[in-house]
Structure formats: structure tokens, C-alpha cells
Amino acid sequence: MVVVSSNFSAPVDGILLETPSTKLLVNDQELGTATLYITEHNVVWGGGVRPTGGPAPTISLLYPSISLHAVQRDPSPALYMVLNYELRLPELTSQTGSGDSTAPDDDDDEFDADDQPITQLRFIPQSESELQAMYAAMSQGQALHPDPADELDEDEHYLDGEEFEEGDEEFEDAEESDGAGAGAGAGNEAAARMRNLRLEHNGSQHYHDAEDEEIEEQ
């Protein structure tokens, strides 16, 4: 979920990183400069001003709405995010989400991944040296919000920093998630499955014998 508000209240609990004077670009359009708070619960950008003056809106992002985060070096150093949500703001002159903005909203429509709108965000700090700390805080926050319903598809590939860098040198680090921190959650689930498979393959007789003994005792 993404919450946009005209009111701002600084987070007080679970703050992983606070980065003041952070510029935000939404689909390449500058929204303003504010403080970025990466917390254990959400990501908040607020308490800032628009490029033309006046207060900028406050944007709060829950981790399930963040599909990917990465360190971007070009065209300017930034913490890059992709939302599985089309963020519509009156401050922006046009919307460039992948969905059809002219189509009426209908919650009963069948979901189509190809038509799912997205939003690209770029958080640009005052100093490039802050990017790694921002990325690390984001990774930590998403790891706290795994998706319990997510099941790893053996044919599905998740991006890590090295794999993304080879595909596009524009990004130095990247983590992709299906929901909240699904990349990390799926990786742990895959490792557990592999351990279970090895256990069943190498010691299946011992495993079944132990199970039979338990049934007889009952």
C-alpha cells in the first residue's frame, strides 16, 4: 500500500536510517526535497518542499508495494525503487506508469500481470556516499517483511547484485521481491527445501523408521 498525505509526522519507532535533504523523482519528474526515513515498518519521505516552493506531499510506502530496490549510478546516483502500484499525484504533469491510465478502475477485473501498472522512484541523497547505507537499510527492512504465501518456482530467477550488474551496468546493487522481501524469503525457503531433499535422499530409511516407531508408541 502507498499512502500520500498533506500532513507529515516523523516516524519515531524502528528507524533504520534517516537521510535528510533527499530529492525524490517519480517517473523522472521531480517531486521535491525532503527527509527519507527507512524504518522497520515502512519507508517514509516527508517534511520537505516542492521545487517551486510550498510543502511537498508525504509519501509512505509499505514494503509489500516495493517490487525492487537498487543502487543506481546513472544518470545520477540514487536509491532506485519500483512499486507495483501506479502512483498518481496532482503535482506531476503526466503519469508514465505501464498501465492504461485511460481505463476505468474496476476491482472486479481479472488481474493481468502485463497490464499491472508500476511506478519508478529515485531517491537522490545529498552525498553519493550515503547510497550504500540506504541500500543496506532497505534490504534490512524488506527482510523483516517476508511473504508467507510466496512459493519459489524452480524455474524463476531472482536478481542479486552480481546478476543485475552484468545485465545493466546502470545499477550496482539490486534486490527484487515478489511482495515484501520475497527475494530473501524465497532464497531461505529454497535452501530449506534443498536440505530436506538431501535428507530424504540420503537418509530416507532412517527417517521413515523413526516415523514408524513414533506411530507404534502412540
Side-chain angles (χ1 to χ4, degrees):
M1 184 173 67
V2 180
V3 177
V4 179
S5 173
S6 58
N7 300 320
F8 171 70
S9 180
V12 294
D13 296 325
I15 297 177
L16 301 174
L17 187 69
E18 178 179 341
T19 309
S21 301
T22 300
K23 184 183 299 183
L24 172 58
L25 273 62
V26 179
N27 293 331
D28 295 323
Q29 298 184 60
E30 184 178 347
L31 188 59
T33 301
T35 300
L36 175 65
Y37 300 86
I38 300 175
T39 81
E40 296 176 351
H41 315 291
N42 56 4
V43 177
V44 178
W45 181 85
V49 296
R50 303 174 186 175
T52 56
T58 297
I59 297 178
S60 178
L61 312 172
L62 293 183
Y63 285 103
S65 66
I66 304 172
S67 299
L68 177 144
H69 68 275
V71 172
Q72 186 182 39
R73 298 294 179 182
D74 184 52
S76 60
L79 177 64
Y80 174 82
M81 295 184 196
V82 175
L83 307 182
N84 54 9
Y85 178 89
E86 186 175 11
L87 184 59
R88 295 177 174 273
L89 298 169
E91 291 84 358
L92 304 181
T93 58
S94 63
Q95 301 295 331
T96 57
S98 63
D100 183 2
S101 60
T102 62
D105 294 333
D106 188 348
D107 294 337
D108 295 331
D109 287 346
E110 184 178 352
F111 175 80
D112 187 340
D114 293 334
D115 295 334
Q116 181 72 357
I118 65 170
T119 303
Q120 299 179 71
L121 304 180
R122 292 175 174 84
F123 294 94
I124 304 175
Q126 280 188 313
S127 173
E128 184 176 350
S129 62
E130 298 177 273
L131 285 177
Q132 287 301 327
M134 294 166 69
Y135 175 82
M138 276 297 304
S139 299
Q140 183 179 350
Q142 284 203 316
L144 296 173
H145 297 267
D147 184 0
D150 180 65
E151 294 183 1
L152 179 64
D153 185 341
E154 294 179 357
D155 296 328
E156 185 174 358
H157 300 283
Y158 290 86
L159 301 179
D160 57 24
E162 181 179 356
E163 201 170 14
F164 204 90
E165 184 177 5
E166 291 177 356
D168 192 340
E169 296 180 355
E170 177 184 351
F171 298 94
E172 180 177 89
D173 300 297
E175 282 196 7
E176 185 176 30
S177 61
D178 186 6
N188 294 335
E189 184 178 350
R193 288 185 181 182
M194 290 301 295
R195 287 195 297 271
N196 291 336
L197 289 174
R198 286 196 296 270
L199 175 62
E200 292 177 7
H201 177 74
N202 297 329
S204 58
Q205 184 61 45
H206 174 74
Y207 175 80
H208 291 301
D209 289 345
E211 188 177 40
D212 293 340
E213 289 176 3
E214 181 178 355
I215 294 174
E216 293 176 358
E217 291 176 359
Q218 293 179 351

